[in-house]
C-alpha cells in the first residue's frame, strides 16, 4: 500500500479511547488529519492524506482521488451513507473494488463484504431499510445502552472483542489488492458463545447450520455475495 486517503467527519472523543488508534492526547482533534499525522510519522515511505469531511463531500471535491484509488474501504456502519456509496460504485465497479465492514451487536460477530465487477452489489443482500440478510446473532431487545445523565448511547465492548473483525476486514482488503478474489465475496467471523450469552444474545442457528459452523467458536465463514435478481438497486 503506497497511498492512503483517510476520510472522516468526527473528532476524537473520550468514548473512542478503548477502540481507536489515537490516544488521549488527541482528544477533541479531527480524527482524519490527526491519524494522518501519526501514521505519516511512523510510515514515512507512504503517502497519506487526511480529509475532515464525509465521503460525499470528498467525492464531490476530490473525485479524482476516489476514481484513481485501487480499493475503497467503507466502515461507516450507516446504511444511508453506504447505500448512496453503493449507487456511486455501480458506475465505477468496472475499475475498482469496494469493501464494506461492520460488526454485529457487542462485536460478537463481524462481516466483510467485497463488491467486485462480478457478483452482487451491496444491496443484493440487504433490505431497503438496511437490515442485513445474513445475521449470525439474534437479540431479544435493543442492544444499545445509555450513558448516565447523558443522551449518548453505546455498546460495551473493547479492542479485544473487536480485533477479530478488524483482522477479517483487513485480510479481505489485502486479498483484493493482491488480486486473489475474482467475484463479490462475503466473509463472516463468529466469536465466542460465552461472550454472546453474557451480553444476552443467541446464535442464528439456521444460518450457522447452513455453513456448518453451529458447534464451533472463533472461526471464519465464507460465502458468495451473489446477484439477487430482486435487488432494488442493481
Amino acid at each position: 500500500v503506497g497511498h492512503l486517503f483517510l476520510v472522516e467527519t468526527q473528532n476524537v472523543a473520550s468514548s473512542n479511547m478503548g477502540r481507536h488508534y489515537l490516544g488521549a492526547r488527541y482528544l477533541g482533534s479531527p480524527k482524519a488529519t490527526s491519524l494522518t499525522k501519526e501514521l505519516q510519522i511512523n510510515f514515512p515511505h507512504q503517502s497519506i492524506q487526511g480529509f475532515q469531511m464525509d465521503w460525499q463531500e470528498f467525492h464531490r471535491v476530490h473525485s479524482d482521488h476516489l476514481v484513481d484509488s485501487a480499493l475503497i474501504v467503507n466502515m461507516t456502519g450507516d446504511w444511508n451513507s453506504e447505500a448512496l456509496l453503493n449507487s456511486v460504485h455501480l458506475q465505477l465497479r468496472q475499475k475498482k473494488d469496494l469493501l464494506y465492514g461492520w460488526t454485529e451487536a457487542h462485536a460478537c460477530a463481524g462481516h466483510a463484504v467485497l463488491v467486485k465487477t462480478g457478483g452482487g452489489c451491496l444491496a443484493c443482500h440487504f433490505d431497503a431499510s438496511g437490515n442485513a440478510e445474513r445475521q449470525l446473532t439474534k437479540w431479544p431487545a435493543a442492544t444499545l445502552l445509555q450513558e448516565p445523565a447523558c443522551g449518548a448511547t453505546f455498546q460495551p465492548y473493547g479492542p479485544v472483542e473487536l480485533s477479530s473483525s478488524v483482522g477479517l476486514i483487513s485480510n479481505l482488503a489485502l486479498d483484493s489488492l493482491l488480486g486473489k478474489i475474482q467475484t463479490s465475496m462475503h466473509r463472516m467471523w463468529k466469536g465466542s458463545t460465552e461472550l454472546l450469552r453474557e451480553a444476552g444474545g443467541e446464535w442464528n442457528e439456521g444460518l450457522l447450520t447452513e455453513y456448518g459452523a453451529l458447534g464451533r467458536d472463533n472461526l471464519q465463514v465464507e460465502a458468495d455475495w451473489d446477484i439477487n435478481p430482486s435487488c432494488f438497486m442493481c
Side-chain angles (χ1 to χ4, degrees):
V1 177
H3 303 272
L4 285 174
F5 301 118
L6 306 178
V7 183
E8 170 65 80
T9 61
Q10 297 179 346
N11 294 335
V12 179
S14 58
S15 58
N16 300 140
M17 290 300 97
R19 304 191 290 218
H20 202 280
Y21 186 91
L22 298 174
R25 66 193 176 101
Y26 283 104
L27 277 176
S29 302
K31 285 182 180 179
T33 52
S34 298
L35 184 56
T36 295
K37 177 182 176 181
E38 193 76 8
L39 290 176
Q40 192 69 80
I41 292 172
N42 292 330
F43 303 96
H45 58 287
Q46 291 188 331
S47 172
I48 306 172
Q49 294 177 258
F51 300 85
Q52 194 71 10
M53 58 182 68
D54 58 32
W55 77 262
Q56 294 94 323
E57 183 179 0
F58 179 77
H59 176 49
R60 179 174 57 83
V61 179
H62 303 286
S63 60
D64 54 329
H65 291 341
L66 197 70
V67 171
D68 293 340
S69 296
L71 174 67
I72 302 169
V73 182
N74 184 300
M75 301 289 111
T76 63
D78 176 74
W79 174 246
N80 290 331
S81 172
E82 290 174 340
L84 182 57
L85 182 58
N86 183 60
S87 67
V88 172
H89 186 238
L90 286 172
Q91 311 303 317
L92 300 173
R93 63 190 299 193
Q94 297 290 340
K95 303 176 182 178
K96 68 186 78 275
D97 294 353
L98 205 162
L99 175 62
Y100 297 89
W102 68 94
T103 62
E104 294 189 32
H106 297 278
C108 291
H111 298 260
V113 171
L114 183 69
V115 178
K116 295 183 64 71
T117 301
C121 76
L122 178 69
C124 280
H125 296 283
F126 280 82
D127 65 22
S129 299
N131 299 306
E133 176 185 287
R134 300 167 183 166
Q135 291 281 359
L136 298 182
T137 63
K138 298 192 296 184
W139 303 87
T143 58
L144 290 175
L145 302 180
Q146 187 168 344
E147 293 183 5
C150 178
T153 57
F154 71 102
Q155 288 181 353
Y157 63 86
V160 173
E161 295 89 347
L162 195 60
S163 60
S164 295
S165 294
V166 173
L168 178 84
I169 296 164
S170 301
N171 280 321
L172 189 52
L174 289 173
D175 285 347
S176 166
L177 291 170
L178 294 172
K180 294 183 178 181
I181 309 295
Q182 304 305 316
T183 188
S184 296
M185 171 69 63
H186 184 196
R187 290 179 182 169
M188 298 168 273
W189 174 77
K190 178 195 176 191
S192 162
T193 298
E194 181 181 4
L195 176 64
L196 177 68
R197 288 175 178 169
E198 287 178 352
E202 59 181 301
W203 295 118
N204 182 347
E205 295 188 2
L207 182 63
L208 289 171
T209 299
E210 179 181 345
Y211 293 109
L214 180 59
R216 296 173 291 158
D217 283 1
N218 301 306
L219 57 82
Q220 178 179 301
V221 177
E222 188 172 286
D224 290 333
W225 194 261
D226 50 350
I227 296 173
N228 178 359
S230 301
C231 177
F232 62 95
M233 292 193 73
C234 75

